[in-house]
Amino acid sequence: MIKKVTAALYIVATLIMVRTIWGLVNLGHSDATSVTMTEKSQPVTGWNQKDNKWYYLGSDRKRVTGWIRDGEKYYYLKDDGSMAVGKVEINNSTYEFDQSGALLCNYIKGDELLPNSILPSREKVEETAKYNWFDENGNTYFRVGKSVAVGSWNIDGDSYCFDKNGVMLKCVVFTSTYGVEYLYGSDGKCIQVYGNELMNEVPSGVMITKSDTDNQKVLLDDSNMMEISQLSSNGEIVKGKGIKATKDKTKMQAETKGKTLYCNPKQIIQLGNIKVSGTDTNNSSFPSLVIVSKSTDDSIAFAGVESSLKDGYLSELHPIILAYKPGNTTVTIDVNGTQTTFDIVVGQ
C-alpha cells in the first residue's frame, strides 16, 4: 500500500471557516447573554455543553473528534467528542491542557529558537550514524550528512520541523515566514488539525532512511517533470491557515515550456514525476535518500517536494510549487548530490 509522505501533506488548518459567537468563560463556553447552549432547544455549530462536558459541532452539526483550532488556541476532542482537560495520552504521547481545554505548548515564529535551544556538540554529531535520531542537552536532533536537519523535513513518511540549531519542535505551534501556522505534537510529528480546503506544509526536504545498499549514488529521470499534474488557482493566502484555493481542472492558468513553468500568484502547482533509481547492477537495490528542494527566491515561489513510499522505499517524487508574487526564480532539486533544475516565471 502506498503511503503518502508529504508535502501537501498534512492539512494543518484552522478549525472551521464559520465563526460562532461563543467564547471561553470560566472553564466553559457561553454566549454573549450568558445562556449556555444546553438551554437552547436546538444545537448549533460550534461549542456545545452537555452533562458538564464540552463538545464541538461541525457544519453538519455532528460532534467533531481529534484536534481543532479555535481562535489562537488548539484543543483536543476525545473519541466521544468531549473536550480534553489536564494531562491526556494521545497516540502514545502525553499532552497537557488547561482548564479551558487549551493546549499548553510553546509558540515560535520564523527563525526564532525554541526555549533552551542549543547546538549539538560536534562529538555527538560525529558519533551518530548518518540519517539517525539522537538526543543531547534534553533536545532531539536528526543527523543529515555532516550536520543536522534544520527547517521543515519529511522523514520516513512523517513531517517534522527543526529550529536553526537543529532542535526538533515538540508540542510547538510554529508560524512560518509567510504566516502559515503548524502544530507539532509531543513526538515532533506535524498534527493534522480539523479544517478543509487549506494547503498544508510543503517540506523542502525529504529523508528516506530505508536502504539495502551502501552505494548512495542515484540516477534521475526528469523527462516527465514539467508536466502539470495538478493545479489549484484563484487562491487566497490566509494568514495563520495556509493557501485556500479552488481546483482548476482546465489547467489554462499555468503552462510549461521546456524547463520553465509559467504561472500566476496564489497558485499551487504539482508537477510531474521524477524517477529515481539506484546505480547498483542489482536493480532491486535502493539507497537511503536525502531530497532537498531550493528556490533562489522563496518570496516569489516556494518549491517543495511530494513523495510516496511503497514498502518503505520511494515510489514517486513530485515538485510542488506555491507561487506568491510576480517575478522569476530557479528551483534546484538535489537527490543524494544528483541535481535537476527548472525555472519559474510568476506573472502579474
Side-chain angles (χ1 to χ4, degrees):
M1 178 179 180
I2 294 178
K3 179 182 179 183
K4 280 288 178 187
V5 175
T6 34
L9 292 155
Y10 302 93
I11 299 181
V12 181
T14 115
L15 164 70
I16 278 186
M17 304 310 293
V18 178
R19 291 302 305 269
T20 67
I21 61 174
W22 315 113
L24 300 181
V25 179
N26 298 326
L27 313 186
H29 305 73
S30 65
D31 64 15
T33 61
S34 298
V35 177
T36 62
M37 296 184 191
T38 54
E39 296 172 359
K40 296 178 179 294
S41 59
Q42 295 294 328
V44 296
T45 58
W47 291 107
N48 185 21
Q49 188 182 39
K50 183 178 181 181
D51 299 329
N52 294 320
K53 293 183 179 180
W54 286 96
Y55 303 87
Y56 196 93
L57 303 184
S59 56
D60 57 1
R61 296 194 175 183
K62 294 182 179 179
R63 290 178 179 177
V64 174
T65 60
W67 290 95
I68 64 171
R69 181 177 187 265
D70 186 15
E72 300 301 318
K73 302 293 184 179
Y74 289 83
Y75 303 83
Y76 185 78
L77 303 169
K78 294 182 284 188
D79 290 344
D80 65 353
S82 63
M83 182 184 73
V85 176
K87 290 186 177 181
V88 179
E89 185 171 301
I90 303 169
N91 296 328
N92 300 317
S93 292
T94 301
Y95 296 83
E96 187 170 1
F97 303 84
D98 66 20
Q99 290 304 300
S100 71
L103 175 66
L104 298 176
C105 59
N106 290 312
Y107 286 76
I108 65 172
K109 297 181 179 180
D111 291 331
E112 291 179 7
L113 293 173
L114 289 168
N116 304 316
S117 176
I118 186 173
L119 285 167
S121 65
R122 175 50 53 188
E123 294 75 17
K124 187 66 175 180
V125 173
E126 291 177 350
E127 73 180 31
T128 302
K130 291 181 180 179
Y131 320 130
N132 275 275
W133 297 96
F134 67 94
D135 293 312
E136 190 182 41
N137 310 312
N139 297 318
T140 299
Y141 307 84
F142 190 87
R143 180 176 176 181
V144 179
K146 297 180 179 179
S147 187
V148 292
V150 174
S152 172
W153 281 79
N154 191 293
I155 300 175
D156 289 331
D158 291 302
S159 239
Y160 302 86
C161 192
F162 306 83
D163 72 9
K164 59 184 179 182
N165 280 338
V167 178
M168 184 178 76
L169 276 58
K170 295 181 182 179
C171 202
V172 170
V173 176
F174 173 72
T175 304
S176 71
T177 304
Y178 302 104
V180 184
E181 192 172 279
Y182 308 106
L183 173 63
Y184 294 90
S186 296
D187 57 2
K189 296 178 182 178
C190 192
I191 293 175
Q192 178 175 327
V193 178
Y194 184 78
N196 55 18
E197 295 185 11
L198 292 172
M199 187 71 177
N200 179 24
E201 181 179 26
V202 180
S204 57
V206 173
M207 173 74 65
I208 300 171
T209 62
K210 188 171 183 179
S211 174
D212 51 21
T213 177
D214 292 329
N215 178 10
Q216 299 302 305
K217 294 183 179 179
V218 296
L219 298 175
L220 301 183
D221 179 357
D222 61 2
S223 57
N224 297 319
M225 180 177 68
M226 298 309 294
E227 295 180 0
I228 297 176
S229 60
Q230 183 173 317
L231 169 66
S232 298
S233 61
N234 302 321
E236 176 187 1
I237 300 175
V238 183
K239 182 176 176 59
K241 302 172 185 177
I243 298 181
K244 184 178 181 182
T246 303
K247 295 289 180 67
D248 179 3
K249 296 182 179 180
T250 64
K251 302 182 181 179
M252 295 301 292
Q253 296 182 9
E255 62 178 348
T256 60
K257 293 181 180 179
K259 277 201 165 184
T260 301
L261 167 67
Y262 297 89
C263 59
N264 295 321
K266 299 181 181 179
Q267 286 187 323
I268 306 164
I269 303 100
Q270 176 176 294
L271 293 179
N273 186 290
I274 300 174
K275 297 179 181 178
V276 182
S277 58
T279 60
D280 286 344
T281 54
N282 180 359
N283 292 332
S284 63
S285 296
F286 207 73
S288 56
L289 299 175
V290 181
I291 305 166
V292 179
S293 178
K294 292 184 179 180
S295 169
T296 54
D297 192 337
D298 281 340
S299 69
I300 293 173
F302 173 84
V305 280
E306 180 185 57
S307 32
S308 298
L309 297 184
K310 185 176 183 180
D311 299 326
Y313 293 99
L314 181 70
S315 173
E316 295 180 341
L317 176 63
H318 300 267
I320 301 286
I321 309 303
L322 278 64
Y324 291 107
K325 66 180 184 181
N328 300 347
T329 186
T330 298
V331 174
T332 299
I333 296 176
D334 184 298
V335 183
N336 288 11
T338 300
Q339 298 180 346
T340 183
T341 64
F342 60 93
D343 297 316
I344 301 174
V345 178
V346 184
Q348 297 292 334

